[in-house]
Amino acid sequence: MVVEPKVKGFICTTAHPVGCEKNVENQIRYTKENGKIDGAKKVLVIGASTGYGLASRITAAFGMGAATIGVMFEKEATGKRTATPGFYNTRAFDEAAKKEGLYTKSINGDAFSKEIKDEVIATIKKDLGQVDMVVYSLAAPRRILADGTSVSSSLKTIGEPFTQKNWNFKDNTIGEGTIGSATEEEIAGTVKVMGGEDWMEWIDALVENDAIAENAVTLAYSYIGPKLTYPVYHEGTIGMAKKHLKESADAITKKQSAKGIKAYVSVNKALVTQASAAIPVVPLYLSVLYKVMKEKDIHEGCIEQMNRLFKDKIYGNDAVEIFEDGMIHVDDWEMRDDVQSTVMDIWEKICTENFLELADADGYWDDFYHMFGFKMDGVDYSVDVEV
Ligand code: NAI
């Protein structure tokens, strides 16, 4: 069938298989062009099908030549419904890795569950013996706990509601968006889903089963961003979860010190993803940030970020590059004083009349459509494709 984007507000309900494949191909090409990275050789990526997790897996496989096991939660196509982008991305990754002679195994299921942990560990034991790197890159709306209860994560403020300038997608006007404040239950739920508890359970399970090597490295991703978005992010519900993630990194490193396993949090750059599009205020910040970073020729997407993370911050030098706050930062260019002061100057004066001139709305939408395999150069969208 001919697959077209069906965008409803901030979500696209279709994905293009050939476009997704192209997206993966482009990331592989970038990785190869940027040269070999001398790093881990057997890598487990949890949340490996889109965004930062997919870029981590591509960097591990095509940059470091690593065998990879990826875990993801994606839907196959049914009837006239296309599969999710992560399903097509994973298929494209697996094919490309096999062609290159690289070991690859993708396990589609709920990473929070014991069943999937057991399946992954059995696969490691059977095929690889042990892994020497674990990337934990889940972004999930909910988690089913061992007793069957479901907890949800939310994107809300803590304390007062927050109102700021906001981009109305419907008519490209700049108005105001308000984010409501969370209940105690919503805060706790977000920490349970997006904090570090499950990451720690993964590492415990791998250690107990002798499926992780001595001196292995494990990574999870965080975001801080500018003061402007603190109420909705850094000081909001998700910020609490990210605080827990950092505490979990420290706890993992301490607990596994006998094996020399080290857990790190890497603070990454803000990018368009399915989650960030849904948060009021954030898309406007992103479109201004893109404009400023592109003008300064320092704009990066997920693959550029992960390449720099693995190459320069983790494996490039004698020691992992850790900042004063105990974390790795590849948001360093986003947070540069000259970048942030220009973004804030624009933020002060941006309005409906000057929006298209002062922000990179096209760049935002390009990234949005690319996530679902649309608007990719070199893809003929008028032809029938097998979904
Ligand atoms: P994403 O939505 O693109 O990827 C999430 C991945 O998790 C997908 O592979 C998905 O299949 C998988 N997943 C979700 N629920 C699952 C489950 N129950 N079981 C197995 N797999 C599951 O998200 P993105 O943006 O790449 O985020 C990854 C991490 O990076 C998150 O911790 C996020 O907070 C962080 N981050 C994101 C930034 C951004 O601007 N997008 C900035 C800095 C950090």
Side-chain angles (χ1 to χ4, degrees):
M1 66 191 217
V2 171
V3 183
E4 286 176 346
K6 280 204 188 105
V7 178
K8 288 185 188 146
F10 44 75
I11 181 90
C12 181
T13 58
T14 52
H16 199 281
V18 181
C20 288
E21 192 182 321
K22 188 84 191 163
N23 195 350
V24 170
E25 243 174 54
N26 290 349
Q27 294 193 44
I28 292 174
R29 184 167 8 87
Y30 174 87
T31 306
K32 285 182 171 175
E33 281 169 5
N34 272 273
K36 291 262 170 274
I37 303 166
D38 190 13
K41 290 287 169 257
K42 296 169 184 178
V43 180
L44 168 63
V45 182
I46 302 156
S49 54
T50 54
Y52 278 120
L54 172 65
S56 303
R57 190 179 194 189
I58 291 173
T59 308
F62 294 91
M64 306 200 297
T68 62
I69 296 179
V71 183
M72 66 288 304
F73 207 26
E74 301 294 344
K75 286 200 187 91
E76 280 184 58
T78 46
K80 279 194 165 274
R81 276 190 93 88
T82 67
T84 50
F87 182 89
Y88 296 131
N89 291 341
T90 301
R91 193 173 63 183
F93 173 89
D94 282 337
E95 278 169 15
K98 276 182 202 144
K99 226 185 255 173
E100 204 92 352
L102 292 165
Y103 172 93
T104 176
K105 188 95 191 194
S106 298
I107 295 174
N108 193 6
D110 183 5
F112 292 117
S113 71
K114 184 169 182 315
E115 292 72 31
I116 290 295
K117 289 186 177 78
D118 288 347
E119 188 181 337
V120 169
I121 287 167
T123 308
I124 295 172
K125 301 286 287 179
K126 181 164 78 64
D127 295 348
L128 304 176
Q130 290 181 323
V131 288
D132 51 2
M133 182 185 209
V134 179
V135 177
Y136 189 85
S137 185
L138 285 193
R142 72 189 64 81
R143 169 177 173 190
I144 311 286
L145 303 175
D147 66 4
T149 49
S150 169
V151 279
S152 297
S153 78
S154 33
L155 274 158
K156 291 197 172 176
T157 66
I158 292 176
E160 298 296 309
F162 171 65
T163 301
Q164 248 301 353
K165 283 185 179 176
N166 186 46
W167 170 13
N168 303 313
F169 291 146
K170 259 192 231 146
D171 52 9
N172 259 350
T173 56
I174 302 303
E176 276 190 341
T178 297
I179 297 148
S181 60
T183 61
E184 286 301 323
E185 195 187 339
E186 286 171 325
I187 300 170
T190 310
V191 172
K192 203 84 183 152
V193 180
M194 290 297 287
E197 187 180 73
D198 181 62
W199 181 23
M200 202 149 180
E201 285 175 13
W202 267 100
I203 302 301
D204 281 346
L206 289 163
V207 170
E208 273 160 30
N209 290 282
D210 199 25
I212 183 165
E214 279 188 5
N215 304 317
V217 166
T218 181
L219 287 179
Y221 300 138
S222 185
Y223 182 67
I224 297 176
K227 290 223 160 57
L228 172 76
T229 60
Y230 270 16
V232 15
Y233 202 98
H234 186 52
E235 291 169 349
T237 48
I238 184 78
M240 291 305 112
K242 295 301 184 188
K243 191 166 162 262
H244 188 268
L245 197 70
K246 170 67 173 80
E247 289 162 4
S248 305
D250 297 341
I252 292 170
T253 301
K254 195 167 169 208
K255 189 169 176 186
Q256 307 302 346
S257 60
K259 270 197 110 163
I261 295 169
K262 293 213 165 55
Y264 301 102
V265 169
S266 169
V267 185
N268 301 345
K269 180 194 179 188
L271 285 169
V272 180
T273 61
Q274 297 186 54
S276 62
I279 321 171
V281 185
V282 170
L284 181 59
Y285 169 73
L286 281 168
S287 64
V288 176
L289 180 73
Y290 276 28
K291 174 91 173 178
V292 174
M293 291 188 80
K294 283 179 186 174
E295 275 176 7
K296 290 181 183 287
D297 204 19
I298 50 169
H299 179 71
E300 295 175 300
C302 289
I303 196 66
E304 290 87 356
Q305 279 266 294
M306 294 302 97
N307 200 272
R308 201 153 63 83
L309 172 64
F310 285 36
K311 189 185 269 167
D312 296 353
K313 310 277 178 181
I314 297 180
Y315 293 113
N317 304 305
D318 294 341
V320 175
E321 192 181 302
I322 307 284
F323 277 60
E324 282 162 5
D325 60 6
M327 295 188 279
I328 304 169
H329 282 264
V330 273
D331 66 340
D332 43 357
W333 297 353
E334 171 183 355
M335 299 314 294
R336 250 168 48 178
D337 288 346
D338 61 316
V339 171
Q340 284 300 322
S341 68
T342 314
V343 168
M344 291 311 137
D345 286 348
I346 294 176
W347 191 270
E348 287 299 315
K349 56 186 178 217
I350 203 161
C351 60
T352 303
E353 288 68 32
N354 60 21
F355 169 58
L356 292 176
E357 181 197 331
L358 295 183
D360 183 20
D362 287 345
Y364 180 93
W365 284 117
D366 279 348
D367 271 15
F368 180 86
Y369 281 104
H370 290 171
M371 273 196 297
F372 302 93
F374 295 108
K375 300 194 189 220
M376 297 294 300
D377 285 342
V379 177
D380 182 354
Y381 290 100
S382 67
V383 299
D384 274 336
V385 286
E386 185 65 60
V387 298

